[in-house]
Amino acid sequence: MSRDTVVAKRYARALYSAAVEKGITLEVEEELKAVVGLLHSDQEIKRFILAPRISESDKLKVLRTALQDKLSPIVMNIVELLVERGRTDIFADLLDTYIKIEGDALGIGDAKVYSVYSLSEEEKAAVAAEFGQLVNRKIRITNVVDPSLLGGLKVYIGDTLYDGSLSNKLERLEKSFNDKHRR
């Protein structure tokens, strides 16, 4: 486990505790997702935050102005703290760890579901219900379209992969044919 991951866990635990006290755990998650999304998708902001020649105080002034009314005080505090300490590189790990802590506490599991096409809300609900029973949690689905699967689904819940994709089935079939012919 990297040092950054350990540090992110420490911040995530503290952030989750503060969010529980205020009763805003899910709101904090959504705000963190927005911050991480912004930092990863906008190259100008990313360059600005990572620029060594710009002082932390100047970065904080700009961030406070841009984010002040958009984030709860709890999330704004963690953003400021990480910028002050030069730890903006751990935002993604912080978010991942926060979601895991929150999920464990609330009995929620996050599933990344890969499919050939975008799943409808009914299909997502069916997948969530089926896998929710399997792992004994309420499941939140994030759907990722992957045409290389050919058909079926690939579902990641935590570190576990449930691969029911047609491409995987074909690979296993090919492997079994090759194994039989080698004998």
Side-chain angles (χ1 to χ4, degrees), residues 4-5 7-9 11 82 87-95:
D4 286 348
T5 304
V7 171
K9 280 185 178 183
Y11 283 113
L82 293 177
R87 298 309 317 251
T88 56
D89 57 327
I90 68 166
F91 272 112
D93 286 339
L94 171 72
L95 173 61

Side-chain angles (χ1 to χ4, degrees), residues 32-43 45-46 63 67:
L32 275 179
K33 283 180 181 175
V35 169
V36 170
L38 184 66
L39 291 176
H40 285 285
S41 65
D42 191 319
Q43 292 303 312
I45 292 174
K46 194 175 193 175
L63 286 172
L67 301 173

Side-chain angles (χ1 to χ4, degrees), residues 7 16 27 29 31 36 51 54 84 110 113 123 161 166 178:
V7 171
Y16 184 75
E27 293 89 340
E29 176 190 340
E31 290 177 14
V36 170
I54 299 173
E84 285 171 359
D110 285 288
V113 179
E123 290 168 323
L161 167 64
L166 184 55
N178 289 338

Side-chain angles (χ1 to χ4, degrees), residues 155-169:
V155 179
Y156 284 94
I157 301 175
D159 295 336
T160 306
L161 167 64
Y162 302 92
D163 195 342
S165 66
L166 184 55
S167 60
N168 183 351
K169 289 177 184 178

Side-chain angles (χ1 to χ4, degrees), residues 2 4 6 16 24 72 85 102 124 147 149 166 171 178:
S2 77
D4 286 348
V6 171
Y16 184 75
I24 57 170
S72 63
R85 296 189 175 171
E102 176 189 45
K124 288 179 187 177
L149 297 178
L166 184 55
E171 283 176 30
N178 289 338

